[in-house]
Amino acid sequence: MRLGGRLQAAIEVLQDIKSRRRPAAEALKDWGLSHRFAGAGDRAAIGNIVYDALRERYLLEWRMDSDDPHDAAFGALLEDGGLSLDELARSLDGDRFAPEPLSEHSRNMWLTKNIDEAPDYIRGNLPQWCVPLFQDIFGSHWLDEAVALAKRPPLDLRVNRLKAKPEKIVRELAGTGAKPVSWFDSALRIPPIEKLKRHPNVQAEPAFQKGYFEVQDLGSQIVARLAGAKAGMQVLDYCAGAGGKTLAMAADMENRGQIHCYDAEKARLAPIFERLRRSGVRNVQPHVNISELDALKEQMDIVLLDAPCTGTGTWRRRPDAKWRLTDGQLERRIAEQKTVLNATLPYLKTGGHLVYITCSLLSSENDKQIATFLKENPQFKEIDMKNLWQQHFGKDAPRPVFPEHGLVLSPASTDTDGFFISVLEKRST
């Protein structure tokens, strides 16, 4: 496909997302199924345009003075595709599959509007009702965080230290751009996509098939490490999902001890069986029925709870979720978190650690949730997260944000997806 066809396809996908309020991944998948002639490079380029338009929706609409998906797709291509208006016009000239060109009004707006004059919430591509929520945690730096959350993310890999060392993976992935993260011993990073290119398909590499590494955001790797799982421990990963943090902890435990992983939705847990086989992890027991956990009560050294949340910390990768979030959804997540927090308590032994994690940046799901929990459960005390950070990571590591009851990772502060973690110790009653 030429650029014109790719751009037209992106417009169609954006129109589908807008009219049906559906996830971008679903809309792109359906487009691909109905246009099987499109190659992998075509689909990647179309996806880049779509996701860039969603990440920077407010700013693109403001610069174009238009909320039409047609103009947003053009704006995304101009902003992140590395083309000027004239270069884009020449690229589309004579392409019968190209969309209608930009109107004269939109062209003029793009050329004459000064981004610095846009309201802060537009420069940050942040729903206006979320601004106070970001100010609550980030204070005067909220705009920097919002801007970083609207940029393309890198591709992070976790080296499976049960099977390989980082330098081995770097050699095997030569040509992909993968480089070690200097301050984290198990992480490799491939830089963000440039223009209309695509990330390498690392899961097709023999090293992946052999279980030498997993695809996992650095923030997720960090919170798994901060959980403190060590060889010989008994651990419960209560909302395990597909098992990314389970696998990371298993490597930290050197396959010694036991990790029990459970998720209320069997479909979410299903991928872990193949991942365990590939990674060579032998100390994990998946559980699909809650009754299977009865024997674990008051036995766990660590209960890790990756709680259901709004996912605001993942907006770089799922920008469409930003525009679907409502305050009603936020309130439901807060209620669910409180319920699941209480559900984990029977499994923890005295002296054990409850590790509360979300991929959210909102205090109401994080710091305030823990504050309420501590008031209602005086048998728990907090672990000092600043000290915990220093114990695990050296002076070269970036500094997270430290609210009262945990720590926050974010694109601006730590160059990761957004995560919150708080570690609580159960004392004798």
Side-chain angles (χ1 to χ4, degrees):
M1 295 174 68
R2 295 173 60 187
L3 181 60
R6 291 173 168 181
L7 181 56
Q8 177 59 37
I11 292 170
E12 293 171 6
V13 173
L14 286 167
Q15 289 171 334
D16 183 25
I17 293 168
K18 182 178 182 179
S19 62
R20 299 171 64 183
R21 291 184 60 82
R22 64 196 305 231
E26 289 183 11
L28 284 164
K29 181 180 179 181
D30 284 354
W31 187 92
L33 290 173
S34 60
H35 298 78
R36 293 185 180 275
F37 59 83
D42 297 322
R43 294 193 299 273
I46 295 163
N48 284 343
I49 299 170
V50 168
Y51 278 105
D52 287 338
L54 292 169
R55 289 188 189 101
E56 303 179 287
R57 171 188 159 189
Y58 271 177
L59 194 55
L60 295 176
E61 289 178 351
W62 184 83
R63 290 189 67 182
M64 289 285 187
D65 192 29
S66 166
D67 63 357
D68 191 324
H70 170 278
D71 293 350
F74 269 85
L77 196 51
L78 292 167
E79 182 70 15
D80 299 292
L83 296 174
S84 68
L85 276 168
D86 289 340
E87 288 171 334
L88 180 55
R90 288 196 295 271
S91 296
L92 301 181
D93 185 40
D95 187 344
R96 64 189 181 95
F97 296 107
E100 289 293 317
L102 283 173
S103 68
E104 193 65 25
H105 175 75
S106 293
R107 285 177 58 90
N108 289 337
M109 290 297 98
W110 185 265
L111 291 170
T112 58
K113 276 198 167 184
N114 183 351
I115 295 174
D116 293 335
E117 296 175 356
D120 283 349
Y121 78 94
I122 287 178
R123 290 168 58 202
N125 289 287
L126 190 67
Q128 203 164 0
W129 69 274
C130 290
V131 169
L133 305 181
F134 270 57
Q135 290 173 328
D136 188 28
I137 180 63
F138 297 118
S140 61
H141 298 290
W142 75 268
L143 182 56
D144 294 334
E145 294 289 351
V147 169
L149 203 56
K151 299 300 182 183
R152 291 179 176 181
L155 178 63
D156 293 334
L157 313 177
R158 180 185 60 79
V159 177
N160 178 11
R161 289 178 297 134
L162 296 173
K163 286 191 170 185
K165 295 182 179 180
E167 52 268 27
K168 177 180 177 66
I169 307 305
V170 170
R171 288 195 302 269
E172 296 223 8
L173 297 183
T176 66
K179 294 182 179 180
V181 175
S182 61
W183 55 274
F184 194 95
D185 59 5
S186 299
L188 304 179
R189 169 160 287 181
I190 298 173
I193 297 168
E194 296 181 357
K195 300 181 181 180
L196 294 182
K197 298 178 182 179
R198 55 177 171 154
H199 273 137
N201 182 11
V202 294
Q203 292 182 326
E205 295 286 340
F208 178 80
Q209 301 300 326
K210 295 175 184 177
Y212 291 172
F213 69 88
E214 291 283 340
V215 176
Q216 186 176 17
D217 178 75
L218 178 57
S220 180
Q221 296 183 49
I222 290 169
V223 295
R225 177 66 56 82
L226 291 173
K230 295 180 175 61
M233 283 186 170
Q234 294 293 312
V235 178
L236 171 60
D237 188 351
Y238 190 76
C239 293
K245 296 178 185 66
T246 292
L247 292 170
M249 290 190 294
D252 286 342
M253 295 170 68
E254 300 174 341
N255 255 339
R256 292 182 287 162
Q258 197 75 48
I259 301 178
H260 301 267
C261 61
Y262 166 78
D263 198 282
E265 292 192 23
K266 295 179 182 179
R268 280 204 299 249
L269 190 62
I272 198 172
F273 295 95
E274 169 59 21
R275 298 179 78 183
L276 291 172
R277 183 202 62 76
R278 189 176 65 246
S279 64
V281 168
R282 301 186 302 274
N283 66 330
V284 171
Q285 291 188 32
H287 300 277
V288 296
N289 296 309
I290 189 68
S291 61
E292 297 174 14
L293 304 184
D294 288 347
L296 308 182
K297 290 181 178 179
E298 299 185 356
Q299 302 297 314
M300 297 296 102
D301 295 292
I302 295 173
V303 174
L304 184 141
L305 174 58
D306 191 354
C309 69
T310 56
T312 51
T314 66
W315 279 349
R316 297 190 301 176
R317 303 178 193 280
R318 292 183 285 184
D320 48 309
K322 179 192 303 188
W323 310 113
R324 296 197 306 271
L325 180 63
T326 66
D327 53 358
Q329 290 173 332
L330 174 57
E331 291 302 316
R332 287 193 291 274
R333 288 292 180 263
I334 293 170
E336 290 169 359
Q337 289 156 6
K338 185 172 183 178
T339 297
V340 76
L341 261 169
N342 290 328
T344 64
L345 300 187
Y347 306 105
L348 200 62
K349 72 180 186 182
T350 300
H353 287 180
L354 173 60
V355 181
Y356 177 80
I357 297 169
T358 73
C359 54
S360 171
L361 294 171
L362 306 184
S363 292
S364 53
E365 298 183 273
N366 298 334
D367 213 53
K368 294 176 182 177
Q369 188 72 265
I370 294 301
T372 300
F373 177 84
L374 289 170
K375 287 180 181 178
E376 297 175 353
N377 297 275
Q379 72 272 32
F380 283 87
K381 71 173 183 179
E382 299 174 72
I383 300 299
D384 187 316
M385 297 306 294
K386 289 183 180 178
N387 286 341
L388 189 62
W389 181 263
Q390 292 171 356
Q391 290 170 20
H392 283 278
F393 305 113
K395 62 181 181 179
D396 293 333
R399 183 175 175 82
V401 175
F402 291 99
E404 186 175 358
H405 300 294
L407 70 79
V408 173
L409 309 173
S410 66
S413 66
T414 52
D415 198 14
T416 68
D417 282 356
F419 282 90
F420 172 84
I421 178 172
S422 182
V423 182
L424 310 174
E425 183 176 308
K426 181 181 179 181
R427 300 176 296 187
S428 57
T429 55

